Amino acid sequence: MSAEYVLFDLDGTLTDPGLGITNSVAHALAHFGIAVTDRTQLYRFIGPPLMDSFMEYYGFTEEQAQTAVKVYREYFADRGWAENTVYEGIETLLSELTAAGKTLLVATSKPQVFAERILHHFGLARYFTHICGVALQAPRGYSKADVIREALAKAGVTDLSTAVMVGDRHHDIDGAKAVGLSSVGVLYGYGDRAEHETAGADAIAESVDALRALLLK
């Protein structure tokens, strides 16, 4: 699956944002008087758009979800963004891909301002030609496919067979399929094999080493 352009998801693919995101979600839920007893139940917020998750998992109205996202971002902008770690081996992989002549892009559903802050903080931004996220006030329904299309357009990609999307949740695979890209689902993040198989990932990598083998073969 060697490709000239490699698009990466951020959360659960390049970095592990579990602590910061779950702390931010818990902060938002507390605003509504909802106490979190099992932090692992909040891992499902990692990856999908926040509005959708608050409405799906807690039955919030659109107005309530908008308030929840606002409160979430109060915590996340202050310190949640830094409660994050780079997956072991990721920087080496990015360096090797760059050395092999690949063009690397980020396509994330996270607000672009936070994606850029995180990638610069951890020294990863230098590997990417473009970092594409969503606007803080993105229109409702702005999807992962839209972010992927933006990344491809910025990189000037016209032949979709030369690009591949890498991500840890089905939203990454769904977005790639909607655009017409091949995709790799990774298992070291927050999605599992069944999720990627159901979504129709073209390949599945159990580890960063396995991802390296796929992208550099």
Side-chain angles (χ1 to χ4, degrees):
M1 187 171 279
S2 179
E4 180 181 352
Y5 299 90
V6 185
L7 288 73
F8 285 91
D9 175 45
L10 175 55
D11 291 341
T13 304
L14 297 175
T15 69
D16 183 351
L19 181 61
I21 288 181
T22 56
N23 280 343
S24 301
V25 173
H27 176 73
L29 294 174
H31 177 81
F32 291 89
I34 300 171
V36 177
T37 56
D38 181 1
R39 183 62 63 94
T40 64
Q41 290 298 308
L42 302 184
Y43 287 160
R44 55 193 175 179
F45 278 81
I46 300 174
L50 285 170
M51 282 280 294
D52 295 347
S53 295
F54 280 116
M55 294 172 71
E56 178 179 355
Y57 302 132
Y58 286 90
F60 283 8
T61 64
E62 187 166 335
E63 183 178 1
Q64 288 173 321
Q66 289 173 342
T67 299
V69 170
K70 179 181 177 181
V71 177
Y72 169 102
R73 286 178 177 164
E74 290 173 357
Y75 183 99
F76 193 85
D78 180 51
R79 55 192 184 279
W81 68 272
E83 295 173 332
N84 201 338
T85 57
V86 179
Y87 284 112
E88 184 175 355
I90 281 294
E91 184 164 9
T92 299
L93 171 62
L94 299 178
S95 177
E96 291 175 348
L97 290 171
T98 302
K102 312 290 188 184
T103 297
L104 308 186
L105 311 165
V106 170
T108 174
S109 293
K110 182 180 290 300
Q112 180 146 346
V113 62
F114 295 137
E116 291 178 349
R117 185 185 302 176
I118 290 165
L119 290 166
H120 280 286
H121 175 74
F122 288 113
L124 301 182
R126 62 198 174 105
Y127 296 106
F128 295 99
T129 303
H130 297 288
I131 298 169
C132 296
V134 301
L136 283 172
Q137 303 302 325
R140 183 90 168 90
Y142 193 80
S143 68
K144 190 59 177 270
D146 294 319
V147 179
I148 292 171
R149 289 188 186 98
E150 179 185 352
L152 293 172
K154 285 186 173 180
V157 178
T158 55
D159 181 355
L160 297 182
S161 70
T162 64
V164 62
M165 177 71 206
V166 179
D168 73 309
R169 297 299 311 275
H170 73 82
H171 309 84
D172 304 305
I173 310 307
D174 294 341
K177 290 180 77 67
V179 172
L181 285 189
S182 296
S183 59
V184 179
V186 300
L187 300 186
Y188 56 81
Y190 288 86
D192 59 27
R193 182 176 295 276
E195 178 175 345
H196 290 303
E197 289 178 345
T198 299
D202 294 287
I204 297 175
E206 296 185 356
S207 64
V208 174
D209 284 341
L211 180 60
R212 175 185 292 106
L214 280 170
L215 297 178
L216 287 173
K217 70 179 180 181

